Amino acid sequence: MRRGLINEDQLNHASKSVNGKRLDQVLVDLGYVSEEDTLAVLDEELGMTYVDLKDFTVDRELLSQFPTTAIFRHSLLPLNRENGRVVVATGDPFDLEALDELSSLSGFRLKPVLARRTDVDQLIKENLGVGGDTVNEMVSQRSDEDVELLDEIFDEDDDLDEQAAASVIRLVNELLVEALAQQASDVHIEPQEHGLTIRFRVDGMLRVQPVPAEINHFYAAIVTRLKIMSRLNIAEKRLPQDGRIKLRISGREVDVRTSIIPMMHGEGLVLRLLDKERMVFDLGTVGMPDEVSIPFRKQVRLPHGIVLVTGPTGSGKTTTLYGALNEIKSPSTKIITIEDPVEYHSHGIGQIQVHSKIGLTFAAGLRSVLRHDPDVILVGEIRDGETAQAAIQASLTGHLVFSTLHTNDAPSAMTRLVDMGVEPYLVASTVECVLAQRLIRKLCSNCRQQYEPQIEDLPRDFPHDSPEYKGKLWRAVGCRNCRDTGYSGRTGIFELLMMDATVRKMCVERVSAGEIREHARQNGMTTLRASGWNNAINGLTTVDEVVRISKEDI
């Protein structure tokens, strides 16, 4: 209050929201004051030093002399030696018991300094690994021959030692919580010749996660635990398996799709995390510009025809299609989807899970769905000629069909359908539009930096003559908020091919995708590359990111 960082109303509101927390922590949680400002005030009031740990290098030899349990439990990080004492970073200067405990356990005299709690936690994970405390506990419980025994007991589904089982469960939970905290879409657990590698995919890019070396001893137990959670066969180690886990993590519902594949050095796992709280199916939030959004919204309201969305795996196709379904969803419209697997559960829409082992394929499901009197059908993916023919027949009989294709751009969808065996005149008469899309990383708004690029440093197809380009662009820098990547979140870039009389005629004549593309560009189609350049010029992303994600327009 004396420093003018908060006003009386904010103080009164925070005082009513304490619920056992310290008042300064509540003020930070409510966003009234930053953690840095709070620590600076505590620095002055308590005579403690505030240390910025952003680029700090921890003395690992010193760290190894401290018990990891106390470090993880109290978020205390030994930094270096100074005048016979060890400097320890803490985010809570009032937790004197924790400092006393660490001092007595280690035998060192400590000098506490203030640092952001998130920075302390991040450095602990970077230096001791995610779940390091749990792994150390498991190591202490384990004798030399325990690892194989643990695997065998799990396989036999017998009574495992309670402490060991609880530690494995906690370790897996810690991995999932950390992945969710980093907003990861996938967790990759990969056995290598010399140890276990764990990587998180965040904003489309894989990041290696620091884990303790001792975690290698418990690889078999981790795999078995995840198999049990996914209701898979824990004895089968030679065949690929797919499963699903439903979790509630920190009060949030999360669906986890599990894929296990046998590899050279053991079974590799990939966990796809579907955080229901972060799922927003709204065409207004996917980043479509008006020149794409307005015509696309008109297409999804047509009485019949095929609307295709194309792009590689993980480009947001399903999210866009569900956004389109939510646009037209109403009690008077019957919508049925056929998917493999059903990723997102949506109220008011009938959803069918493909089950190819018993003959329920996309094509078979689509034929049965037509007898269920739908108005709109979503086919998860057109994979083969049979599914393509069934989708065409559905549109010809008065249904609006949404589906996805794996093609690099919108015009290629026409030639792909013809290659699958669909007659060109049927493709021409049923397809109404094709939307190609990619996901591109957005610049972190806290650290992005404006600069004036040299012409020779820009790609040759950069639109220098664009009226929106004022000679300045933005570059990625990196800060705490974006974990030093320079990017935070993703948005879409789009290419919408509208079917007109000329495109239909070209399709019937089996004209190449390149010629269709050239005609569409001359008639105003914005390509994926051009959409990316628009985002770069508007400060949403960087030139490097556009070059990484899209091909040059020839």
Side-chain angles (χ1 to χ4, degrees), residues 305-306 366 379 382 386-396 401 403 430:
I306 298 179
L366 190 46
V379 183
I382 295 178
E386 190 183 8
T387 310
Q389 294 282 6
I392 295 282
Q393 290 302 320
S395 69
L396 287 172
V401 180
S403 192
T430 54

Side-chain angles (χ1 to χ4, degrees), residues 396-519:
L396 287 172
T397 52
H399 302 88
L400 181 60
V401 180
F402 292 141
S403 192
T404 69
L405 266 179
H406 288 292
T407 62
N408 290 327
D409 58 14
S412 299
M414 306 299 170
T415 51
R416 176 63 56 84
L417 289 172
V418 173
D419 289 343
M420 284 181 178
V422 180
E423 290 294 336
Y425 72 90
L426 288 176
V427 175
S429 60
T430 54
V431 176
E432 299 296 340
C433 73
V434 184
L435 179 75
Q437 70 177 70
R438 300 285 188 280
L439 289 178
I440 197 163
R441 290 185 295 170
K442 293 193 295 185
L443 278 165
C444 172
S445 57
N446 288 298
C447 63
R448 65 176 187 162
Q449 192 177 79
Q450 199 170 39
Y451 72 105
E452 292 186 23
Q454 300 297 315
I455 292 177
E456 59 270 18
D457 294 336
L458 294 172
R460 61 181 181 176
D461 65 327
F462 184 84
H464 299 278
D465 54 351
S466 169
E468 293 183 1
Y469 180 53
K470 309 298 183 189
K472 292 187 177 181
L473 293 170
W474 299 82
R475 63 162 63 100
V477 178
C479 65
R480 286 191 187 95
N481 293 336
C482 60
R483 294 179 180 263
D484 288 320
T485 61
Y487 299 93
S488 178
R490 289 189 290 177
T491 190
I493 57 174
F494 302 92
E495 175 178 292
L496 180 63
L497 173 66
M498 300 294 293
M499 295 295 282
D500 58 22
T502 306
V503 175
R504 294 187 197 279
K505 185 170 180 288
M506 294 170 92
C507 190
V508 171
E509 293 172 354
R510 295 178 182 258
V511 169
S512 70
E515 290 180 62
I516 296 175
R517 180 183 184 79
E518 191 54 41
H519 163 77

